[in-house]
Each structure stands twice: as structure tokens, then as C-alpha cells.
Amino acid sequence: MGGFFINQNKTYGLWTATAMIVGICVGSGIFFKVDDILRFTGGNVVLGALVFIIGAFSIIFGSISLTNLAARSNKNGGIVAYFEEFYSESIASAVGWFQTFLYYPTIAVVVAWASGIYTCLLLGLPDNLDLQMAIGLFYLLLFYGINILSSTLGGRFQVISSIAKLIPLIGVGLIAIFFTKDYPEIPANVERVPVSNVGIGWLAALAPTAFSYDGWAISLSISGEVKNPKKTMPLALTIAPIIVLFVYLSYFLGMTHILGPEYILSTGNGAVTEIGYMLLGKSGEVIILLFILISMLGVVNGVILGHIRMPYALATKNMIPYSANVTQHNQKGFFKNYSALISLVCSLMWFFIHYLTQKFELMSTGDISEIAIVFGYLFYMILYVKVLSLYKQKIITNAFTGLVAPIFAIIGGLIIVIGGFSSNPLSMIVFFVICLLFSLSGSFYYRKQLSL
């Protein structure tokens, strides 16, 4: 999952638009999901690579499909705006509630926690959940403070982190080309996890893969800032996922070539540090961890940067309670930015829930953010169906973008949803019901407001 920072004052050409989409998609997930993907594939590298290809396949056709809607909508707000324009305001409110109260905060919380994990690795601190969560909470509050008090500072950090995250991803792949040494020994104090045959269970790897690719839908919000969007955006949204796929495969195959599947399965999130240590000793380990940490903090910052604006966006459409107060965004001061405070409260609530799920092992694998991301694909597929409907009505005339792309996008989305359910059947059902309840609440609230 990547963070984002969009300059509203520019008009973008093909390569600038492509670069921005790559920056949005490439995020933190790849750094701490490789071991999860390998675990679900039983350490099978070929299956792991196939999972990355399926993930790219889904977003390529999904993004191409939705550019049809982007070209026909003058409203701002990306996915929420498309539901408002092509379905109804009440369904748009349902999607807005899901994104505001579940999607954004769960991602921010999980990446903040992951930042805590890598901070502990960087500083040589104990592998302790309470300590990781405490550090993650500090980062969460820090970036809320930065973005509420100084949006410029938050934006600058976003640019730095976007550059930082590409260095280790591409670097590991390049190093692997010339690497000829044997796999490192698994530390004596670490339990060996052998390669195994998981059968059809490899589909579960699609849930963490969806997390790694997530953020692509956010890129649709730049359509209005691109020159000739009807031609440029479909092309940019085809090229960009291929670049992301190349970067991810470079990192994944590089990791497995240098360290071996068993080492990654056994050591988990800390596996990547061994590459730095093998090349430059302790300083190499520190350098790689520093790059990864900056990248992750960039995602925390980027998600918060977007999330603090979501309650305001809904309030302008009268889709949340006390909308008149929330839209008073011109007031100065931390406690007068009601949109940001709503965002902060949501994140703190989900931070506590995430802590409980990890502390008491309420989820056998994965985390709460994967569930929100997988649920989001259901909304995407509803939009793909709308594209097919517009093609049938001959409003969309291009057979590839209006027929072929949405059909393949629906297939890709279904594979991700099925894979997500197979990774955590019970957890998925429980949290899917929660996601559905939040969405229905958003729709009900908007319809109630209309009746008043």
C-alpha cells in the first residue's frame, strides 16, 4: 500500500501520470508481506511470483475499466464520486462511510504497527508486541500532528519517502543478479519452517498481495489533472501496474534467490536485514532497515494525509452527522479541525482493536487491514458491472475498455475475494459483517437526512 501526495496546481502528461501512479501503488506492504505470501504458498517461489502477477492482472484491468467512469464524471472524490454519479448518493454515502471509518484507519494502524516492528529491529529492541504497538502509536500521533498543523511538511516528507522506498526494492533485485553465495544459515534460536506442499491453499496468498498493491484506486483522483485523460489515463494505468509488478517481482525473486525460501519463512519480517548484513555487515543491515522504515512512515503519513480530508468530503455532501460543524475547516488550531479529529478518533479505535487481535491471536494469520482491502474489491466490482452496463447501452463504445477489461477485472476481483476468505475464513466473515454494517449505516443515514 502506497501513500499519496497530489499537487492540484499541475497538469500532467503521460509519464508524469505514470510516475505518480507508481508512487501511489508501491508502498510498505511488499516489505512485510513477502514472508506471508511465501507461507501461504508453502515456500514455492513460482507460486509466489504467480500471485504477484494475478494481483497486477486485477489492478490493470480494474483501473482501465474505471477510467471510463473517470472520463464521464466531473465530480471529485474518486470511488465515492463514481458511486454518486453512476448509482446514487445513498450508495456513495455507504462507500464513503466504509472508506472513512474502516478502510483508511485500518491501513494507517497496521502500517504504523509495522513501522514499530522495523524500529525495534533497527534499534535492536526486543521483539515485543506491546513495545511495537507503543512505537506505532507514537508514529501515528506524530503524523496526525504534522498533517493537522502543517500540510506542507507532511507533503515534503511524502516526496522523500516515495524516493526512499524504491531504492531497496530495485537494489535487492539488482544485487541478486550477481549474487553467487550459498543461502545463509538459519539462526540457532529460530525455529526452522520447511518448504511444504499447500495445494489449493496458495490462493490465500492473494490477501497479503492485495495489501501490497492497494492504493491503485486512489490514483483515479488525478484524472482531472491529466492532459487528454480519455487517452492518457488508460495508457498510464496500464503501464504503471506493469512497472509496479516488475519492481515487486524484482524484490521478491531477489530475496528468495539470496536468502532462500526456508530462511524467509523461518525469520519472517526480519529476513531482509540479512541481505544488508551479508553485503556490508552491521552497517548494511542498518541502512536497509532505515530505508524500509522511512518508506513505511511515508505510507502512514500518506494515508493520514488523505484520511483527515475524508470526513470533510462527506460533510460537504451532508453524509455524516454534524456536517455543518465538520465543514468549518477554515478555523485555526488542532482541536478546531473537526474532520482531522474524526479521523484521529477512528484510527485510535482501530488501533486498539488491532492490538487485541494480535495480542490474543484472534486472527490466525494476517491483520484487520487485509479484510478491509478485500471488502473494498466488492465495491470495485459493482463499478465494473456499471461499466459493462454502459457498454451494453452503447454509451461506452470501446470494446476493450468497456467489455474485455471489466470482465477480466471482475474475475481478478473474485479471485482476490475468494483468496482473502481462504486466508482467514472466520475473521473474514466477522469483519465483513462489520464492514457491511458500517456501509449500511452510511446509506441509512443519508436516506434519513433526505426524508427530514
Side-chain angles (χ1 to χ4, degrees), residues 72-93:
R72 289 167 175 80
S73 175
N74 294 320
K75 295 185 177 182
N76 295 320
I79 297 296
V80 175
Y82 301 155
F83 275 98
E84 184 180 6
E85 179 102 7
F86 300 101
Y87 280 101
S88 70
E89 286 86 353
S90 64
I91 297 178
S93 183

Side-chain angles (χ1 to χ4, degrees), residues 306-383:
H307 189 214
I308 60 177
R309 289 157 174 78
M310 282 300 295
Y312 174 78
L314 295 184
T316 60
K317 305 174 190 294
N318 202 28
M319 290 179 176
I320 58 173
Y322 304 105
S323 291
N325 292 328
V326 176
T327 53
Q328 293 175 2
H329 66 294
N330 291 324
Q331 298 187 60
K332 299 294 183 181
F334 189 93
F335 293 104
K336 292 182 179 179
N337 189 330
Y338 296 121
S339 182
L341 289 177
I342 292 170
S343 170
L344 175 59
V345 170
C346 287
S347 293
L348 292 176
M349 180 191 74
W350 282 109
F351 193 89
F352 179 67
I353 293 171
H354 174 63
Y355 173 74
L356 293 179
T357 62
Q358 297 298 313
K359 183 75 172 178
F360 300 104
E361 299 180 353
L362 300 180
M363 294 179 64
S364 56
T365 56
D367 52 65
I368 55 174
S369 66
E370 291 176 7
I371 298 171
I373 289 167
V374 171
F375 187 85
Y377 271 84
L378 297 178
F379 285 127
Y380 301 156
M381 285 189 282
I382 292 172
L383 291 177

Side-chain angles (χ1 to χ4, degrees), residues 114-368:
S115 300
I117 292 174
Y118 279 95
T119 299
C120 288
L121 288 170
L122 179 63
L123 302 178
L125 299 173
D127 183 16
N128 178 281
L129 176 66
D130 290 348
L131 180 58
Q132 293 163 354
M133 292 295 288
I135 296 171
L137 180 60
F138 167 77
Y139 287 140
L140 197 70
L141 295 175
L142 172 66
F143 285 105
Y144 264 103
I146 288 173
N147 280 283
I148 291 173
L149 298 175
S150 173
S151 58
T152 303
L153 188 58
R156 286 176 180 170
F157 184 81
Q158 200 61 23
V159 173
I160 294 169
S161 65
S162 295
I163 297 169
K165 62 186 160 191
L166 290 174
I167 295 173
L169 290 173
I170 297 172
V172 167
L174 291 174
I175 291 166
I177 295 172
F178 306 100
F179 197 83
T180 56
K181 295 181 181 179
D182 294 332
Y183 296 150
E185 290 290 329
I186 297 171
N189 61 336
V190 173
E191 182 181 353
R192 179 183 292 272
V193 179
V195 173
S196 60
N197 186 351
V198 294
I200 197 68
W202 68 270
L203 284 172
L206 287 162
T209 305
F211 184 100
S212 298
Y213 278 111
D214 199 58
W216 65 269
I218 299 169
S219 65
L220 293 163
S221 63
I222 71 172
S223 297
E225 305 163 62
V226 172
K227 297 174 184 176
N228 196 4
K230 291 184 180 180
K231 289 185 177 179
T232 303
M233 285 305 291
L235 195 54
L237 284 162
T238 304
I239 297 170
I242 293 172
I243 294 173
V244 175
L245 173 62
F246 170 77
V247 171
Y248 279 3
L249 282 178
S250 170
Y251 181 73
F252 176 75
L253 295 175
M255 282 272 290
T256 52
H257 176 76
I258 295 171
L259 300 176
E262 280 197 2
Y263 187 93
I264 297 170
L265 286 169
S266 303
T267 56
N269 292 325
V272 65
T273 61
E274 181 63 21
I275 294 177
Y277 187 81
M278 291 168 71
L279 294 173
L280 299 171
K282 188 66 179 176
S283 60
E285 182 179 337
V286 170
I287 290 168
I288 283 189
L289 281 172
L290 199 56
F291 274 117
I292 293 173
L293 181 57
I294 292 171
S295 170
M296 288 189 169
L297 292 179
V299 176
V300 176
N301 177 68
V303 174
I304 290 172
L305 188 149
H307 189 214
I308 60 177
R309 289 157 174 78
M310 282 300 295
Y312 174 78
L314 295 184
T316 60
K317 305 174 190 294
N318 202 28
M319 290 179 176
I320 58 173
Y322 304 105
S323 291
N325 292 328
V326 176
T327 53
Q328 293 175 2
H329 66 294
N330 291 324
Q331 298 187 60
K332 299 294 183 181
F334 189 93
F335 293 104
K336 292 182 179 179
N337 189 330
Y338 296 121
S339 182
L341 289 177
I342 292 170
S343 170
L344 175 59
V345 170
C346 287
S347 293
L348 292 176
M349 180 191 74
W350 282 109
F351 193 89
F352 179 67
I353 293 171
H354 174 63
Y355 173 74
L356 293 179
T357 62
Q358 297 298 313
K359 183 75 172 178
F360 300 104
E361 299 180 353
L362 300 180
M363 294 179 64
S364 56
T365 56
D367 52 65
I368 55 174

